[in-house]
Amino acid sequence: QVQLQESGPGLVKPSETLSLICNVSDASVSSKTLYWSWIRQPPGKEPEWIGHIYDGGKTLYNPSLKSRVTISVDTSKSQFSLNLNSVTAADTAVYYCSRIKAIKGGLWFRYFFDSWGQGTLVTVSS
Amino acid sequence: DIQVTQSPSSVSASVGDRVTITCRASQEIGNWLAWYQQKPGKAPRLLIYTASNLQSGVPSRFSGSGSGTDFTLTISSLQPEDVATYFCQEGNIVPYTFGQGTKLEIK
């Protein structure tokens, strides 16, 4: 059973870059059939999909964050990472990494999130 | 973006009751909807995907139905461990929006 674990700083200053790593056990981050995602959840609100990576390095991002987000993968370490630059207080949230359940319907894949890390709270404050 | 609206925002029911939560999408999404359970301080857990398919390991008292724009999550017989917040999520179009959540409590 896949296990995911987030790590990174819990406090980031405004205008700086938020960087997190997700370590993956019992699954391959380089698999062509597995997709890996970052999701965040501000306190008391619903989750928000940030983006995902698949097929060894292809990415798809939330349009609202696309200009500030980079997701990358390090297959040698079985991990993938999130960088979010120019952060503000609005980026304060619990950040989760997740495996995607990708289901093909017609020509396209649709995505649900079937395994999650425990989450890590990142606070943006000076 | 597709908007997904859940109702009610909170519900209180007794052990053994049948509980229903609804999710409405702002445009047709076929059956591309999932339901999650989130307990305090924990990550969400996938319960149902493609509107009605039970995720492995999820108790059979949970079921999902619907297609198009209107969807339902049903708990057939509420158990104390079902106290949680429940979210729906559309999986059809970026940015795969989640509903605002329904908080379920025991009377």
Side-chain angles (χ1 to χ4, degrees):
Chain A
Q1 180 170 330
V2 64
Q3 295 197 42
L4 303 101
Q5 176 70 59
E6 306 88 353
S7 61
L11 181 64
V12 181
K13 290 182 168 55
S15 79
E16 296 190 345
T17 297
L18 180 160
S19 296
L20 296 174
I21 288 172
C22 181
N23 283 287
V24 178
S25 304
D26 297 321
S28 172
V29 295
S30 61
S31 168
K32 288 187 178 295
T33 60
L34 294 179
Y35 295 60
W36 306 98
S37 178
W38 286 98
I39 295 164
R40 69 181 183 178
Q41 186 173 26
K45 298 191 71 177
E46 68 271 18
E48 176 185 34
W49 171 76
I50 298 171
H52 63 249
I53 191 164
Y54 62 103
D55 198 9
K58 298 175 182 176
T59 55
L60 185 63
Y61 297 132
N62 188 323
S64 70
L65 298 169
K66 186 176 182 178
S67 63
R68 299 193 290 131
V69 171
T70 303
I71 296 175
S72 58
V73 65
D74 186 336
T75 56
S76 67
K77 296 181 180 178
S78 192
Q79 61 185 211
F80 61 105
S81 62
L82 169 70
N83 280 342
L84 179 67
N85 60 37
S86 304
V87 297
T88 70
D91 295 309
T92 293
V94 176
Y95 285 75
Y96 296 99
C97 57
S98 171
R99 185 183 68 180
I100 285 177
K101 191 181 196 78
I103 302 174
K104 194 167 186 182
L107 295 176
W108 310 108
F109 282 95
R110 275 74 168 187
Y111 305 113
F112 305 112
F113 310 101
D114 70 351
S115 296
W116 298 61
Q118 66 185 28
T120 186
L121 174 62
V122 179
T123 301
V124 178
S125 175
S126 55
Chain B
D1 295 2
I2 295 175
Q3 309 304 315
V4 284
T5 304
Q6 288 182 235
S7 61
S9 56
S10 65
V11 59
S12 181
S14 300
V15 172
D17 282 354
R18 183 181 184 89
V19 175
T20 299
I21 298 168
T22 64
C23 181
R24 173 164 288 177
S26 60
Q27 59 184 273
E28 293 235 352
I29 58 171
N31 66 343
W32 302 111
L33 187 106
W35 291 96
Y36 299 82
Q37 176 193 66
Q38 186 175 32
K39 296 183 178 180
K42 300 294 187 182
R45 173 195 183 195
L46 179 65
L47 299 176
I48 303 282
Y49 62 96
T50 52
S52 60
N53 288 97
L54 197 66
Q55 176 70 354
S56 175
V58 174
S60 59
R61 64 180 179 274
F62 291 92
S63 64
S65 64
S67 67
T69 60
D70 294 309
F71 302 87
T72 300
L73 172 70
T74 300
I75 307 172
S76 61
S77 178
L78 184 65
Q79 300 301 304
E81 60 266 31
D82 300 334
V83 169
T85 298
Y86 293 83
F87 295 97
C88 59
Q89 175 243 327
E90 69 85 8
N92 191 44
I93 295 176
V94 165
Y96 312 120
T97 306
F98 288 79
Q100 81 278 16
T102 295
K103 187 173 184 179
L104 174 58
E105 298 175 327
I106 299 284
K107 276 183 186 173

